[in-house]
Amino acid sequence: MMSYLCPPRTVQQMTKMWRNVKRTPEEDSPHGPYKVPFHESFEETPMMVAVITYMGYGVLTLFGYLRDFLRSRGIEHCHNAMEREEQKDFVPLYQDFENFYTRNVYMRLRDNWNRPICSVPGACFDVMERVSDDYNWNFRFTGNILQGVINMGSYNYLGFAENKGPCMEAAAEVMQTYGVGVCSTRQEIGNLDKHEELEELTAKFLGVEAAMAFGMGFATNSMNIPALVKKGCLILSDELNHVSLVLGARLSGATIRIFKHNNMKSLEQLLREAIVHGQPRTHRPWKKILIIVEGIYSMEGSIVRLPEVVVLKRKYKAYLYLDEAHSIGAVGPTGRGVVDYFGMDPRDVDIMMGTFTKSFGAAGGYIGGSKALVDFLRANSHSAAYATSMSPPVAQQIISSMKCIMGDDGTTIGQDRITQLLRNTRYFRQRLRNLGFVIYGNDDSPVVPLLIYLPAKTGAFGREMLKRRIGVVVVGFPATTIIESRARFCVSAAHTREMLDTVLKEMDEVGDLLNVKYSRHRRQQQLTEEPVY
Amino acid sequence: MAGKCLALVVPASLAQRVRTMLQQRGWFNPRFRVVRNEDGSASIPVISCDVSDWFALLKEAGLETNKTLGTLTWRLAEDIEFPLSRHTPSPHELLVKAISSILELHKDSPERPPDWRDQLPRRWERHGDLAIIDQQAFASPFWDSFGPELWTAVTKALGVRRLAKQGRVQPDGYRTPAVTLLLGSDGVVERRENGISYTWDVRTCMFSAGNAHEKQRAAMWDCTGETVCDMYAGIGYFTLPVLVHSRAKLVLACEWNPNALHWLSVNLQQNGVSNRCRILPGDNRKAPAYHLLLEAFLIICIIRLLFFSKSYRPLDRTQLTQAEEEELIREWQPEPLVPAHPSPPYLNYRVVSGAAGKFVTVDNRECLNLSSLNFLGFLESPRIKAAALSSLRKYGVGTCGPRGFYGTFDVHLQLEEKLASMMATQEAIIYAYGPSAISSAIPAYAKRGDVVFADMAVNLPMQQGLAASRSNVRWFRHNDLDHLEMLLQEQAADDRKNPKKARVVRRFVVVEGIYLNTGNVCPLPELVQLKYRHNFRIFLEESLSFGVLGDTGRGLTEHFGIKVEDVDLICSTMENSLATIGGFCCGRSFIIDHQRLSGQGYCFSASLPPLLTSAALEALDMIEEKPEMFKELREKCRLLYDSVQGIPELSVGGAPISPVLHIRLAEPSQSRERDIATLEAIVESCAQEGVAITLARCIEKDEVFPPSPSIRLAVNVELTQEEIQKAAAVLRSAASRHLLE
């Protein structure tokens, strides 16, 4: 799949090369707090497309009501699971309107999600073919396996989702010794030496004093934010933050205010207002202010404006919680995430959070920071006191892959993958733009959202691509705003140029077929930009 | 005036009766009045008649006649001087007399109607020197020929100077009276009533003298300082009494009859109160133009406010200058992110090297493990390891995506199917992390406004789920269903008060099968009975009972022989008995399927690594193949339970069938920290003697009801009888060393 035939290079060389890839002479001017050019684009939705999209939802809604009516009269067969006869007189578990969208919109497109696979989620995977005889209410497996589907959906940024190689072997060995589970919590008797090793390594990898690992990325946010802030504290949260951050913030009891996505003016205004006016009603000063941002936003492909956030955080004495779920390993010359990407000091960020699910091909999450922070979490984190600790083979997978990225395994495989990912990302993004698609996000973000807008086309795009043996993720409302339904590609270091070219060729066709090449910058860009790989 | 007349003299006491009798017979002379004499008799004027008639009359009155005159009780006296009677001829009599004389003068008019007397006015209103006769009077055209002569006669008879005739009140909005003036030059009259003078023209305005009492009543209201509105003011009928007598500050008088308005203002001036009355002339229902404009303006304002204004923010803030703001920002000092020196006791974790199976190496010392929740000993099972390894070789470690985005593996579907069939439910759903199963499941159903009844001892992930649901949580005492029923009855009472709300408020009861915090078993059969009485749904968390209780390890429902459908949602981790990672929920598709879009920990988290999924599948296979292990486990639980009884200064919490037991201080001190330290010392002593036990950890400040400090012992089915007894003995000796000193 991938060849790592490049001669070994030092990290310094790699960094230089990485910088060279992205820097062109005329861009060498100062970029404010940024050491590298920072270019993100969010092309405006064409008015006509927006109107048609709204109309599309209108039609779907009308038909939804019609079909609900037919179902209620028994004219159309109702596939919904039913309440138990004995509990018919209970208060209904769901309000009827709650499931209107699920029943009448999601159900039409449902085959695009939860597609079962039966292989390693690497650059290619095997998808189990399934069909529905009743318009997506139920699925039936045909028994066929769609083999070698190019995987553009998994968060396998550095290609560590592997079923062979040194990482896997190490994990297998650890599993033989430790078993699969732990059956206890970190604070009780589930603190294995593997966990300590992992945490030490993570701290080193991140360049922070200490780190702590948790069994689940989602829970890292939802169970640790409540330990850090409480009532009387203020959380300033980006509007597109992940659900786990939102849940953690809610559970904390702190006041939550939302700033516009990656909008520093909005953030600064909230900060000023918060400090000047204090808490609502009592006007007491806030105990702490915590800014929560993500490194790469998984639905937008945007990278946080970290240098500016840090300037603001310092100026207003706020604390910064950075969720690097998608960025750790995926950006930065040495794969250390957005801090590395901007060439900043990891100590500028108070709470470095991330997951091991994506770039490391494992599971779980971490929090890194000062020793005081980590000590505090060891004593106060819900994950440490109430949740079974991380599975040892999973911990080993992280250790192995992290060492690989750091070059501690004595190879440059990790560094090569980082470079490969960047090359793939830029190439893929540039080609897509040249084809005339509307692409969101940062040029260097391996998360590539492609705007489709119309829900019906979204479904058709996903199906059409699978037909062509390409697995893509499509998302719509409520994960996005109502008109911005999109497909999302996750570029991986494991993708070869051939694979990307295949994907691009098929997409060119599908794009014409579905008429989703909405970009209005297309022509002029084609003339000026020549794709480089 | 006086005159002479025949008199009947009777005792004064009988005078009244006699006079009445005389009047009845027509013998009383009405021209004179009865006179009371000085000797106690009274003289009654009578008309002379036959004397014999008197006897009959007086006998009837009870007066004797055959007595000597001296004692005569009555006598007749001639020419007694009497005062004249007060009776004057009534106006009607005078009228009849006057008309008769006119008719005498015009005897020759042949058409005189025979009933002319009936056509004379019977009723008339007098206002000053003007009389208004009723409509029926002089109806016949016969009277017309007399002209002013007739009217002059009538006025004389009635003692007035002007005469008018009532007509039918016109059915117009002004109730204009149809009064025709028969004699006199104008209809303006004045009337005084209750010290108020009313002036009006009878031809154009109404005045009802009969309402005097009502006006008097209005005059008695105390309206000092008040503003009164008289909606139908007329000539000031009520306006004037209210102004003059009730001392109202201001009267707004509405009237639309222009004549009435004229007289109203005249009356106000005459009574000297015009300065306190504002007249609103015309039809007050009709809005004037400026009013319409004002209303239009208001509507525009409302529209602007609703649709074109930014959200309403009360301006309770004072505007600060830039410099002031900067200073505030400079001055603000946040609390440190974390306390500089944390002082919790569990900062230094004990390090376990290698697997924590039946034996565990804690801090480089090998111990018998009574602390891992590895009840079935699956942690070290080679079979499970082998299954996990083959899975690892096929799928790698991570799934690199949530279930929705290519994170669904065939093994996930197999595991869900297996769990569902094993638990005899329609569907199961797996989560990648134990605690996130229940903490995602609860808020998927319970929403703001719903009511959740929760046991006070539920574990923290459940508490977090309850917090995330934002439902109204009612806590009932641990395993106390009477308390629960009381709360349910309170709820039912509330529901009766507000049935509309009760129709949409969902009710849930969340309980644990075996409580992690206490080791007690939930009384499920009683709870199910309550369920159908009070229509709530049961969410059962079986982390400690799944793979433990029941003959085949299906958990609490099997233990009690309860139908699985009676419990709405069963949730458990796979991290204890199954010795892998993750959790699951199972139940009817109607319930479980909802989590596939609403369970946050399911939708938004990477899925369970396939190797851990395969391990769970293998563990379930082993459970199915060897159900006798549960009997053995129960025996071991019982054994441990019995072995740790009776340790001095310690109490044992938990059921004999529970795989976890809580050892607590029998007499805890006031300080939680000291208790923890004491128990910690016991744990440490045990570790030195080769038995690994642990305190049940909790984060006190985050627990709703912090459990008291305890050592949690856990049973592993692989522990032998001797090992359990040894562990108990070690605990006993360590406890006695630390507690009896």
Side-chain angles (χ1 to χ4, degrees):
Chain A
M1 271 191 287
M2 259 188 81
S3 56
Y4 302 105
L5 296 174
C6 334
R9 299 188 187 101
T10 62
V11 170
Q12 282 76 17
Q13 278 176 320
M14 288 302 303
T15 310
K16 200 172 157 199
M17 180 190 146
W18 193 85
R19 295 247 187 264
N20 286 342
V21 174
K22 63 187 314 173
R23 198 165 285 192
T24 51
E26 64 272 17
E27 282 172 339
D28 238 331
S29 55
H31 303 282
Y34 297 92
K35 294 174 184 165
V36 293
F38 186 82
H39 182 254
E40 277 184 4
S41 69
F42 296 93
E43 193 176 329
E44 207 182 324
T45 307
M47 175 61 90
M48 200 56 206
V49 177
V51 170
I52 292 171
T53 308
Y54 279 120
M55 280 166 61
Y57 277 104
V59 171
L60 280 172
T61 310
L62 281 178
F63 269 88
Y65 280 119
L66 176 68
R67 296 185 65 181
D68 273 2
F69 173 75
L70 293 179
R71 284 182 200 119
S72 71
R73 294 300 161 95
I75 300 169
E76 187 183 329
H77 177 63
C78 183
H79 296 271
N80 265 359
M82 300 307 279
E83 174 78 288
R84 262 178 101 197
E85 273 307 315
E86 293 93 320
Q87 296 184 196
K88 284 269 190 218
D89 53 339
F90 281 33
V91 176
L93 192 54
Y94 316 112
Q95 297 290 337
D96 204 39
F97 61 83
E98 276 181 67
N99 295 332
F100 179 86
Y101 185 82
T102 314
R103 214 165 38 230
N104 295 305
V105 181
Y106 172 72
M107 205 45 83
R108 292 168 180 270
L109 309 174
R110 196 158 88 115
D111 55 317
N112 285 295
W113 294 283
N114 302 304
R115 286 175 179 158
I117 65 170
C118 53
S119 71
V120 63
C124 294
F125 52 25
D126 301 340
V127 177
M128 295 164 76
E129 188 181 64
R130 53 178 191 175
V131 291
S132 175
D133 303 322
D134 51 6
Y135 302 101
N136 287 352
W137 285 94
N138 292 292
F139 291 107
R140 172 168 64 78
F141 291 103
T142 60
N144 289 346
I145 307 284
L146 305 174
Q147 275 172 341
V149 176
I150 299 175
N151 178 5
M152 298 304 292
S154 296
Y155 309 130
N156 178 25
Y157 299 121
L158 291 181
F160 280 107
E162 298 165 309
N163 57 2
K164 43 182 164 308
C167 296
M168 193 286 290
E169 293 302 338
E173 200 176 302
V174 165
M175 190 161 66
Q176 284 305 329
T177 324
Y178 290 82
V180 180
V182 184
C183 292
S184 190
T185 68
R186 291 293 295 280
Q187 289 193 355
E188 287 165 4
I189 201 153
N191 178 41
L192 305 182
D193 46 4
K194 272 289 155 212
H195 298 137
E196 301 258 318
E197 184 189 343
L198 170 62
E199 288 173 353
E200 216 166 284
L201 186 68
T202 307
K204 192 175 147 206
F205 176 74
L206 296 172
V208 293
E209 282 175 21
M212 187 165 180
F214 304 95
M216 183 199 201
F218 183 95
T220 308
N221 285 329
S222 67
M223 291 170 104
N224 285 310
I225 295 175
L228 296 169
V229 282
K230 49 191 177 297
K231 199 167 172 287
C233 299
L234 175 68
I235 290 176
L236 298 179
S237 173
D238 190 289
E239 63 179 340
L240 296 180
N241 273 350
H242 191 251
V243 176
S244 55
L245 293 166
V246 175
L247 179 63
R250 280 197 190 158
L251 289 176
S252 73
T255 306
I256 305 165
R257 288 184 187 155
I258 309 294
F259 61 92
K260 292 205 186 86
H261 174 55
N262 231 352
N263 184 328
M264 295 303 119
K265 274 201 185 121
S266 169
L267 174 60
E268 177 159 21
Q269 197 191 336
L270 285 183
L271 278 166
R272 283 191 81 89
E273 202 170 291
I275 298 172
V276 170
H277 296 294
Q279 298 186 31
R281 302 178 63 82
T282 61
H283 297 288
R284 283 199 189 169
W286 294 102
K287 290 179 181 159
K288 305 175 208 175
I289 298 178
L290 183 66
I291 302 170
I292 301 183
V293 292
E294 287 187 48
I296 292 180
Y297 289 85
S298 66
M299 286 296 163
E300 305 298 301
S302 50
I303 294 180
V304 64
R305 295 175 169 274
L306 192 64
E308 291 177 69
V309 176
V310 169
V311 168
L312 290 180
K313 158 205 133 67
R314 284 221 192 95
K315 182 172 171 194
Y316 295 101
K317 290 171 241 161
Y319 300 108
L320 179 57
Y321 187 108
L322 174 63
D323 177 349
E324 296 221 63
H326 285 269
S327 54
I328 191 74
V331 292
T334 59
R336 261 72 159 183
V338 285
V339 176
D340 188 25
Y341 176 79
F342 291 113
M344 296 166 66
D345 187 341
R347 281 169 296 188
D348 287 340
V349 180
D350 299 278
I351 302 139
M352 298 268 280
M353 180 271 164
T355 65
F356 298 126
T357 317
K358 286 128 194 162
S359 299
F360 301 94
Y366 64 81
I367 284 182
S370 67
K371 184 151 190 318
L373 170 75
V374 173
D375 280 348
F376 178 79
L377 286 179
R378 281 163 80 89
N380 291 289
S381 164
H382 293 172
S383 273
Y386 299 101
T388 303
S389 29
M390 186 187 277
S391 163
V394 173
Q396 181 57 48
Q397 161 77 14
I398 304 163
I399 293 171
S400 310
S401 54
M402 197 179 277
K403 279 186 173 162
C404 181
I405 297 170
M406 293 163 80
D408 280 8
D409 59 345
T411 68
T412 59
I413 292 176
Q415 198 56 52
D416 292 341
R417 290 187 184 196
I418 292 166
T419 320
Q420 183 72 19
L421 174 62
L422 184 70
R423 281 172 78 181
N424 284 354
T425 300
R426 295 202 158 174
Y427 176 70
F428 190 65
R429 278 185 164 268
Q430 198 174 5
R431 284 286 309 274
L432 280 181
R433 255 203 304 273
N434 287 359
L435 287 174
F437 292 106
V438 175
I439 303 296
Y440 273 6
N442 194 292
D443 288 352
D444 293 336
S445 152
V447 179
V448 186
L450 182 155
L451 273 288
I452 298 179
Y453 302 110
L454 277 97
K457 286 190 184 182
T458 315
F461 185 83
R463 289 179 201 129
E464 207 48 53
M465 291 302 275
L466 187 65
K467 224 187 266 174
R468 292 151 199 261
R469 300 276 158 127
I470 296 161
V472 297
V473 165
V474 290
V475 277
F477 183 78
T480 65
T481 58
I482 190 129
I483 62 163
E484 293 187 339
S485 295
R486 60 192 69 175
R488 188 186 61 184
F489 304 89
C490 291
V491 180
S492 165
H495 292 135
T496 59
R497 176 162 183 178
E498 291 69 43
M499 288 177 190
L500 293 180
D501 282 340
T502 312
V503 174
L504 288 162
K505 183 180 141 278
E506 299 295 350
M507 279 185 63
D508 191 18
E509 281 177 27
V510 175
D512 287 332
L513 182 70
L514 299 177
N515 201 9
V516 289
K517 294 178 176 177
Y518 292 115
S519 178
R520 287 167 296 182
H521 306 321
R522 176 173 167 187
R523 189 144 295 159
Q524 72 193 66
Q525 272 179 351
Q526 253 177 347
L527 292 174
T528 53
E529 281 184 48
E530 192 55 44
V532 284
Y533 186 73
Chain B
M1 289 284 283
K4 289 187 176 167
C5 174
L6 178 68
L8 177 65
V9 181
V10 293
S13 58
L14 293 170
Q16 196 67 26
R17 179 146 44 119
V18 174
R19 193 190 73 173
T20 313
M21 291 164 77
L22 291 170
Q23 274 176 334
Q24 281 167 358
R25 287 172 169 79
W27 298 338
F28 181 77
N29 190 341
R31 285 188 59 213
F32 302 103
R33 282 190 289 168
V34 178
V35 172
R36 189 182 275 267
N37 304 321
E38 281 170 8
D39 60 351
S41 66
S43 306
I44 303 169
V46 290
I47 296 162
S48 61
C49 63
D50 195 345
V51 171
S52 60
D53 292 338
W54 292 109
F55 290 104
L57 175 105
L58 295 166
K59 203 171 180 182
E60 198 187 321
L63 295 170
E64 290 301 318
T65 54
N66 56 348
K67 301 253 172 98
T68 54
L69 204 69
T71 57
L72 250 185
T73 47
W74 67 275
R75 61 188 164 90
L76 284 170
E78 297 234 12
D79 292 338
I80 298 293
E81 193 151 312
F82 280 104
L84 277 179
S85 157
R86 279 190 202 132
H87 176 81
T88 46
S90 69
H92 189 253
E93 285 165 11
L94 293 173
L95 199 58
V96 172
K97 209 170 151 190
I99 301 298
S100 313
S101 61
I102 290 178
L103 289 177
E104 281 302 306
L105 287 174
H106 299 270
K107 249 186 221 155
D108 42 340
S109 317
E111 310 92 351
R112 181 164 68 177
D115 60 339
W116 65 270
R117 277 169 201 273
D118 293 342
Q119 292 195 14
L120 297 186
R122 297 198 173 280
R123 289 190 294 113
W124 56 89
E125 271 178 45
R126 251 185 90 147
H127 300 298
D129 65 342
L130 186 145
I132 304 172
I133 55 174
D134 63 356
Q135 210 174 345
Q136 279 78 33
F138 306 113
S140 161
F142 161 76
W143 303 102
D144 293 351
S145 57
F146 296 100
E149 188 191 355
L150 174 68
W151 303 133
T152 314
V154 173
T155 46
K156 272 194 185 141
L158 298 184
V160 294
R161 264 184 260 156
R162 288 179 290 173
L163 188 67
K165 188 177 178 187
Q166 187 70 267
R168 187 185 290 271
V169 172
Q170 288 172 16
D172 60 0
Y174 301 149
R175 286 182 65 76
T176 312
V179 173
T180 33
L181 203 60
L182 301 174
L183 193 70
S185 54
D186 64 71
V188 178
V189 294
E190 188 187 354
R191 186 188 174 93
R192 285 196 78 81
E193 220 174 62
N194 297 329
I196 297 164
S197 117
Y198 296 92
T199 308
W200 74 100
D201 188 330
V202 292
R203 289 170 299 182
T204 53
C205 297
M206 269 202 40
F207 189 94
S208 171
N211 274 340
H213 276 293
E214 190 57 23
K215 277 179 273 189
Q216 219 163 9
R217 196 173 72 85
M220 270 148 65
W221 296 336
D222 183 15
C223 301
T224 313
E226 289 190 49
T227 301
V228 180
C229 180
D230 187 348
M231 302 291 286
Y232 308 94
I235 60 163
Y237 231 60
F238 291 106
T239 302
L240 291 169
V242 166
L243 278 168
V244 174
H245 297 297
S246 305
R247 297 189 297 281
K249 190 174 84 181
L250 180 71
V251 174
L252 301 172
C254 307
E255 181 53 53
W256 64 357
N257 181 348
N259 297 309
L261 279 168
H262 169 69
W263 293 113
L264 175 62
S265 59
V266 168
N267 288 335
L268 288 168
Q269 268 174 8
Q270 272 186 3
N271 291 287
V273 289
S274 55
N275 56 336
R276 285 192 285 133
C277 179
R278 192 190 306 155
I279 300 170
L280 306 175
D283 185 352
N284 285 291
R285 291 172 306 182
K286 279 187 194 148
Y290 77 87
H291 209 282
L292 288 176
L293 282 175
L294 184 73
E295 278 170 10
F297 174 73
L298 283 175
I299 288 169
I300 290 167
C301 286
I302 289 167
I303 290 171
R304 209 186 110 96
L305 200 70
L306 286 179
F307 299 108
F308 298 102
S309 64
K310 286 178 186 159
S311 61
Y312 169 72
R313 283 210 194 99
L315 291 169
D316 60 341
R317 289 172 173 170
T318 40
Q319 207 64 43
L320 297 176
T321 65
Q322 186 80 10
E324 284 169 324
E325 283 191 3
E326 292 299 337
E327 195 181 343
L328 281 169
I329 289 165
R330 227 178 12 255
E331 279 174 3
W332 181 64
Q333 277 305 332
E335 284 180 8
L337 180 61
V338 292
H341 299 288
S343 59
Y346 351 110
L347 197 59
N348 297 315
Y349 295 170
R350 291 186 291 171
V351 180
V352 174
S353 335
K358 180 176 156 187
F359 293 98
V360 60
T361 312
V362 188
D363 294 335
N364 298 321
R365 199 182 300 119
E366 185 170 293
C367 300
L368 194 62
N369 185 356
L370 268 85
S371 44
S372 292
L373 307 178
N374 178 23
F375 308 130
L376 299 178
F378 283 175
L379 195 62
E380 289 177 301
S381 155
R383 216 179 125 180
I384 290 176
K385 283 181 188 172
L389 185 64
S390 71
S391 183
L392 173 63
R393 293 200 185 282
K394 185 175 179 196
Y395 302 103
V397 177
T399 56
C400 286
R403 288 288 295 265
F405 304 158
Y406 303 106
T408 303
F409 287 61
D410 47 357
V411 282
H412 292 136
L413 301 179
Q414 286 165 22
L415 178 58
E416 284 177 350
E417 216 164 283
K418 178 106 194 170
L419 281 166
S421 74
M422 203 182 136
M423 295 298 291
T425 56
Q426 290 177 346
E427 199 168 334
I429 181 170
I430 53 176
Y431 284 80
Y433 201 46
S436 66
I438 189 69
S439 64
S440 295
I442 292 172
Y445 306 100
K447 305 285 181 197
R448 194 188 284 276
D450 293 341
V451 184
V452 186
F453 300 89
D455 190 291
M456 283 183 183
V458 296
N459 60 36
L460 190 101
M462 297 173 83
Q463 293 170 27
Q464 296 276 288
L466 293 171
S469 74
R470 300 180 169 199
S471 300
N472 178 11
V473 182
R474 318 275 323 261
W475 299 97
F476 61 92
R477 283 190 293 275
H478 178 45
N479 265 355
D480 184 350
L481 294 193
D482 293 336
H483 189 205
L484 171 62
E485 184 155 24
M486 204 180 87
L487 294 179
L488 285 164
Q489 276 161 356
E490 276 173 24
Q491 180 66 33
D494 285 351
D495 290 349
R496 277 193 293 276
K497 267 186 230 153
N498 196 349
K500 204 173 160 191
K501 192 178 161 204
R503 277 202 296 278
V504 295
V505 172
R506 288 168 282 236
R507 279 135 252 245
F508 302 93
V509 169
V510 297
V511 288
E512 275 182 81
I514 294 177
Y515 286 86
L516 182 69
N517 288 340
T518 63
N520 292 329
V521 179
C522 170
L524 190 61
E526 291 82 355
L527 189 66
V528 169
Q529 281 176 7
L530 269 185
K531 166 181 172 168
Y532 291 107
R533 235 181 298 152
H534 290 280
N535 289 11
F536 56 77
R537 295 169 199 274
I538 300 176
F539 286 3
L540 176 63
E541 214 273 354
E542 292 223 66
S543 287
L544 292 190
S545 48
F546 174 74
V548 172
L549 292 186
D551 291 339
T552 59
R554 264 79 167 167
L556 196 66
T557 46
E558 191 188 20
H559 174 76
F560 282 120
I562 299 267
K563 272 195 296 179
V564 172
E565 293 95 73
D566 285 336
V567 178
D568 295 82
L569 181 95
I570 291 176
C571 190
S572 169
T573 72
M574 302 188 285
E575 296 170 354
N576 301 338
S577 291
L578 301 188
T580 171
I581 299 289
F584 70 91
C585 294
C586 61
R588 291 173 58 87
S589 293
F590 175 71
I591 293 174
I592 298 300
D593 196 51
H594 183 66
Q595 286 182 48
R596 298 201 188 271
L597 285 175
S598 306
Q600 292 198 326
Y602 176 88
C603 298
F604 298 102
S605 162
S607 53
L608 185 63
L611 74 98
L612 301 171
T613 316
S614 297
L617 268 169
E618 194 65 25
L620 292 177
D621 278 343
M622 285 166 71
I623 285 177
E624 277 189 326
E625 283 165 23
K626 232 181 108 193
E628 56 275 17
M629 68 174 104
F630 298 106
K631 191 161 166 269
E632 203 185 330
L633 177 63
R634 251 189 307 287
E635 281 163 10
K636 300 276 163 72
C637 293
R638 178 88 222 183
L639 180 64
L640 180 69
Y641 180 81
D642 291 339
S643 311
V644 295
Q645 295 295 330
I647 302 177
E649 304 289 321
L650 289 181
S651 70
V652 180
I657 54 165
S658 164
V660 298
L661 294 175
H662 283 266
I663 310 292
R664 295 197 161 87
L665 293 176
E667 286 164 24
S669 66
Q670 294 301 311
S671 150
R672 197 180 165 87
E673 280 68 37
R674 200 189 309 155
D675 290 351
I676 289 176
T678 312
L679 292 173
E680 201 78 71
I682 295 173
V683 168
E684 187 52 39
S685 287
C686 291
Q688 275 165 14
E689 290 180 45
V691 175
I693 54 175
T694 179
L695 258 75
R697 300 296 187 190
C698 74
I699 295 168
E700 189 198 344
K701 64 180 168 58
D702 295 344
E703 292 269 0
V704 181
F705 304 100
S708 58
S710 66
I711 293 171
R712 190 172 52 224
L713 300 179
V715 179
N716 179 343
V717 74
E718 288 178 351
L719 292 170
T720 62
Q721 202 173 334
E722 294 73 40
E723 283 163 343
I724 290 176
Q725 279 163 347
K726 180 200 155 198
V730 167
L731 176 65
R732 190 181 296 268
S733 72
S736 63
R737 224 172 312 141
H738 286 282
L739 296 172
L740 297 178
E741 274 164 12

